[in-house]
Amino acid sequence: MNVKWTVNDVELYLKEKDYIDTAVIPLMPLSLSSGAKATASVGEFVQLLTGELERQLKGRLFLLPPFTYFVTERHEERVRRLAEWTRELKENGMKHVFYVACDREWKEAESKLEGTLFSLPMIPFYDMDETYKQQVIHEQISQLLSAFISQWT
């Protein structure tokens, strides 16, 4: 059972919500300036990782749409908006809320977050060979799986 943000999967979640206790929120920066390509690469990397996590942890977690923010947005405002998402999820039965990000600014605000942050290194994904991309994803997934499981115990 894969659970992500689609009509069918939301319906499945509503039926099985007693077993799905973890929400995963990819944190995705947006930029339309000169750094747009690198920012898009970060977003692509985070989405690939969280999609694979969701696939491997079937029935245990709910992959939400990315929490998007412009890189120019004040960090305090991002944290405030993310806190609203987290409160809503917890009020609706999610015991665990995990954030996955490559933006180092989230690490600086980690103590203010109401969920658990998994901060990954920024990897320039856009120039990478497809085989190497898969290897990097596999390595990161292994680390994230271990970290997720340790949060559940």
Side-chain angles (χ1 to χ4, degrees):
M1 167 174 45
N2 289 339
V3 186
K4 50 189 175 269
W5 196 252
T6 64
V7 172
N8 290 339
D9 288 343
V10 169
E11 185 177 298
L12 181 60
Y13 163 74
L14 292 172
K15 289 179 186 172
E16 302 292 334
K17 73 190 276 183
D18 291 340
Y19 304 102
I20 302 168
D21 67 352
T22 303
V24 175
I25 305 174
L27 304 181
M28 182 165 326
L30 299 173
S31 175
L32 299 175
S33 67
S34 60
K37 187 176 177 182
T39 303
S41 178
V42 166
E44 180 183 355
F45 182 61
V46 169
Q47 285 191 85
L48 283 169
L49 287 174
T50 54
E52 181 61 20
L53 277 169
E54 188 272 336
R55 189 186 71 72
Q56 290 195 27
L57 296 171
K58 300 174 179 119
R60 181 70 196 261
L61 59 84
F62 193 7
L63 177 59
L64 291 158
F67 176 85
T68 55
Y69 57 93
F70 280 101
V71 294
T72 55
E73 180 180 2
R74 285 186 25 246
H75 197 70
E76 298 79 26
E77 181 62 19
R78 293 180 212 168
V79 171
R80 184 196 63 73
R81 289 191 307 114
L82 186 58
E84 289 175 20
W85 280 42
T86 305
R87 275 191 293 278
E88 181 76 22
L89 291 165
K90 288 189 173 186
E91 286 172 9
N92 283 284
M94 290 294 175
K95 292 178 187 166
H96 307 280
V97 178
F98 295 160
Y99 317 116
V100 179
C102 288
D103 184 341
R104 280 181 258 134
E105 285 188 31
W106 287 108
K107 192 71 176 157
E108 295 168 16
E110 187 171 14
S111 64
K112 298 174 187 168
L113 299 176
E114 297 179 35
T116 303
L117 175 67
F118 295 94
S119 184
L120 306 170
M122 279 197 204
I123 298 173
F125 213 46
Y126 53 90
D127 287 331
M128 226 180 258
D129 175 68
E130 195 61 40
T131 304
Y132 189 61
K133 275 185 191 181
Q134 293 305 317
Q135 180 182 348
V136 168
I137 289 170
H138 177 73
E139 290 170 6
Q140 291 296 318
I141 290 294
S142 293
Q143 291 176 15
L144 282 172
L145 284 171
S146 295
F148 275 34
I149 291 166
S150 72
Q151 291 294 314
W152 289 327
T153 57

